[in-house]
Amino acid sequence: MEASAEIPQGDAHHQSSPIVKSKTENPDLGGCEFIHTDLGAARFRDVRPAEARFTEVNPSEAVFENVDLSRAVIRNANRSHLTIEDACCEGMCVDGIPVGGLLRVCRHHHPASE
């Protein structure tokens, strides 16, 4: 079964895109491509993006909870104001530097104030 959406016509510089709001359960989207896709306020639950590739992605202000990033690779990333809480950092490296060791040294020299 094919689904299609009618794209409203606009001028050449301000082409409108269809607004698609739906709930999809148990789809297999392996091999799909999403180009110039707005996922603002979208919700993803129990998603497996193993071997997926994200290029030119802007997840600023996104929230990731209960995420397994083991063996994931993040390259050329703007990490300014990034917060990581309640995370296992075993084997994690940032720019080749083991994070677990850095955290141990930092905690030793700057114990949390109570």
Side-chain angles (χ1 to χ4, degrees), residues 78-95:
N78 178 351
R79 299 175 295 218
S80 60
H81 308 287
L82 172 68
T83 300
I84 300 175
E85 299 174 347
D86 300 322
C88 173
C89 295
E90 180 181 334
M92 179 179 171
C93 291
V94 175
D95 295 334

Side-chain angles (χ1 to χ4, degrees), residues 10 28 31-32 61-62 64 68-69 79 107 114:
D28 180 354
C32 288
E61 299 185 35
F64 299 90
D68 182 356
L69 294 174
R79 299 175 295 218
R107 287 179 183 137
E114 308 232 355

Side-chain angles (χ1 to χ4, degrees), residues 2 6 16 21 30 54-55 68 102 108:
E2 288 186 28
E6 185 175 319
S16 298
K21 293 183 180 183
F54 298 89
T55 307
D68 182 356
L102 287 175
H108 177 73

Side-chain angles (χ1 to χ4, degrees), residues 11-34:
D11 63 56
H13 298 296
H14 297 92
Q15 182 71 27
S16 298
S17 296
I19 296 175
V20 179
K21 293 183 180 183
S22 65
K23 180 177 181 179
T24 304
E25 294 184 23
N26 301 317
D28 180 354
L29 298 176
C32 288
E33 286 188 47
F34 298 91

Side-chain angles (χ1 to χ4, degrees), residues 41-109:
R43 306 256 182 222
F44 298 89
R45 188 174 350 124
D46 195 19
V47 177
R48 183 187 171 271
E51 298 182 36
R53 299 190 71 76
F54 298 89
T55 307
E56 300 293 326
V57 176
N58 182 355
S60 62
E61 299 185 35
V63 176
F64 299 90
E65 294 184 31
N66 299 320
V67 178
D68 182 356
L69 294 174
S70 59
R71 294 180 299 283
V73 176
I74 300 172
R75 290 190 184 99
N76 193 24
N78 178 351
R79 299 175 295 218
S80 60
H81 308 287
L82 172 68
T83 300
I84 300 175
E85 299 174 347
D86 300 322
C88 173
C89 295
E90 180 181 334
M92 179 179 171
C93 291
V94 175
D95 295 334
I97 301 168
V99 173
L102 287 175
L103 291 173
R104 277 189 296 281
V105 169
C106 188
R107 287 179 183 137
H108 177 73
H109 291 292

